[in-house]
Structures are given as structure tokens and as C-alpha cells.
């Protein structure tokens, strides 16, 4: 069956990639990770894109990619954590499919990202205060972009996916 796309949004470390991998199998859909696709096309890591081309250039790449994916079907689109920040992107997302916002507390996020150095925005900033502040700044953007929200703290990926599938079907 050809399904409407599911877009996963949320802060870094809210489990988008893990959830995407399981949803893909459970729903027999294809998976696109926007960070991975941008890295592949640019032949550079996200950190190098930020360092050499700047964050604005990366954000433009995200917007372009989202517009490209909008007309596809049957995709789980795992979006980079900043994708929902541009109002323009949020509008394209709503047209592209059902937008699922994964949430987590700053303490949970820190636990999940603390051994990973691939995220330029968290370099030297891996503490609950920084994460909490950035999360607060972004909160209203994620909320506005989302069709449904699913909390991920202290839950198994199976449980989280079960809730997503229920909520997406209800939409
Ligand atoms: C970013 C999140 C990252 C990546 C980039 C910027 C952000 O994606 O796109 O480092 O601004 O929140 P993940 O959420 O997959 O870590």
C-alpha cells in the first residue's frame, strides 16, 4: 500500500533515527534521513558543512531537500533537528505528510548525545542548561509544525512506534 509520508521532527537526541528505522520495517515504507542525504550529496559531514559553508547554507540545503521530497509517497522522513525552525519548512512539511514531533527532557537528550561529536551545535555545550535553553527557544516552532506529539523519555522504541502508528492512523 502507498502511504502518505511520515515526517519525524524534534530536537537532537529525541530518537528520530532509531524510531525511523523501526517504523520503516513495521509499516513497510522507505526511509530518508535528511542529514545523511545532505552529507552524501555534499560529500562532506554536517560538521564540515557548518565549518566551511556556514549554518545558513546548511539550512538552505535542508529547505531544498524538503521541497524535493514533498511530492514523494511512502517515505519516513527523519528530519534534522533544526528543520522545523523555518516557517517556510513547516508549511512544506504539512503538505508533505503527517508531522510527528518526538519530545524528550533535556536530561534524556544529554544522556543520548553525550558520546556523539557529530553535532556542531552541541560541541562544547553538552550540558542540561544549554540543551534546556535551546529546547525552550525552539519549543513553539516544533509545536507549530507538528500534527502529533509523542514523548520518548523512559520508553522502548516499540512502545513509541506503537503510539505513532495509532496517532497517525487517527489523523
Ligand atoms: C541540528 C540537528 C542535527 C543536524 C545539525 C543541526 C539542529 O540533526 O541537522 O547538526 O539544529 O538541531 P539531528 O537532530 O538528527 O541530530
Amino acid at each position: 500500500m502507498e502511504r502518505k509520508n511520515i515526517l519525524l521532527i524534534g530536537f537532537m537526541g529525541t530518537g528520530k533515527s532509531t524510531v525511523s528505522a523501526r517504523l520503516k520495517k513495521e509499516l513497510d515504507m522507505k526511509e530518508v534521513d535528511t542529514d545523511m542525504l545532505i552529507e552524501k550529496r555534499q560529500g562532506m559531514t554536517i560538521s564540515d558543512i557548518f565549518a566551511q559553508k556556514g549554518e545558513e547554507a546548511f539550512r538552505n540545503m535542508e529547505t531544498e531537500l524538503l521541497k524535493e521530497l514533498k511530492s514523494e509517497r511512502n517515505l519516513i522522513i527523519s528530519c534534522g533537528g533544526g528543520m522545523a525552525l523555518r516557517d517556510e519548512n513547516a508549511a512544506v512539511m504539512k503538505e508533505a505528510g503527517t508531522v510527528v514531533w518526538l519530545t524528550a527532557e533535556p536530561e534524556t537528550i544529554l544522556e543520548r548525545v553525550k558520546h556523539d561529536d557529530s553535532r556542531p551545535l552541541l560541541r562544547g555545550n553538552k550540558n542540561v542548561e544549554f540543551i534546556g535553553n535551546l529546547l525552550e527557544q525552539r519549543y513553539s516552532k516544533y509545536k507549530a509544525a507538528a500534527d502529533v506529539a509523542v514523548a520518548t523519555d523512559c520508553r522502548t522504541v516499540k512502545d513509541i512506534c506503537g503510539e505513532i502508528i495509532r496517532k497517525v492512523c487517527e489523523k
Side-chain angles (χ1 to χ4, degrees), residues 47-116:
S47 291
D48 286 341
I49 298 172
F50 267 64
Q52 294 174 31
K53 303 191 170 182
E55 180 171 349
E56 186 67 14
F58 173 71
R59 299 300 177 198
N60 290 337
M61 292 170 197
E62 286 191 309
T63 301
E64 263 174 50
L65 179 55
L66 189 60
K67 286 181 178 165
E68 180 187 324
L69 295 173
K70 184 183 83 172
S71 44
E72 305 252 341
R73 290 284 173 277
N74 219 38
L75 295 181
I76 311 283
I77 306 174
S78 178
C79 298
M83 184 74 96
L85 303 181
R86 283 189 178 177
D87 293 343
E88 180 189 5
N89 292 357
V92 178
M93 280 182 193
K94 288 252 157 80
E95 286 175 43
T98 309
V99 183
V100 178
W101 174 26
L102 300 183
T103 69
E105 295 300 323
E107 291 77 6
T108 307
I109 292 172
L110 180 61
E111 273 309 303
R112 292 179 184 159
V113 302
K114 67 181 179 189
H115 298 304
D116 187 337

Side-chain angles (χ1 to χ4, degrees), residues 12 16 35 46 50 58-59 62 80-82 119-121 138:
M12 298 168 267
K16 299 181 295 283
D35 284 342
I46 303 283
F50 267 64
F58 173 71
R59 299 300 177 198
E62 286 191 309
R119 297 175 175 97
L121 297 180
R138 292 180 167 192

Side-chain angles (χ1 to χ4, degrees), residues 1 4 8 21 31 44 47 49 58 65 68 75 91 95 98 113 129 131 134 136-137 142 145 160 162-164 167:
M1 184 174 102
K4 200 172 155 184
L8 300 176
E31 184 186 19
M44 296 165 91
S47 291
I49 298 172
F58 173 71
L65 179 55
E68 180 187 324
L75 295 181
E95 286 175 43
T98 309
V113 302
E129 197 190 353
I131 292 171
L134 190 55
E136 207 176 295
Q137 281 172 37
Y142 290 132
I160 296 164
E163 183 177 340
I164 293 174
K167 287 187 163 170

Side-chain angles (χ1 to χ4, degrees), residues 10-11 17 34 52 54 62 64 74 86 104-105 135 139 159 168:
F11 202 82
S17 306
T34 61
Q52 294 174 31
E62 286 191 309
E64 263 174 50
N74 219 38
R86 283 189 178 177
E105 295 300 323
L135 202 52
Y139 189 87
D159 191 27
V168 167

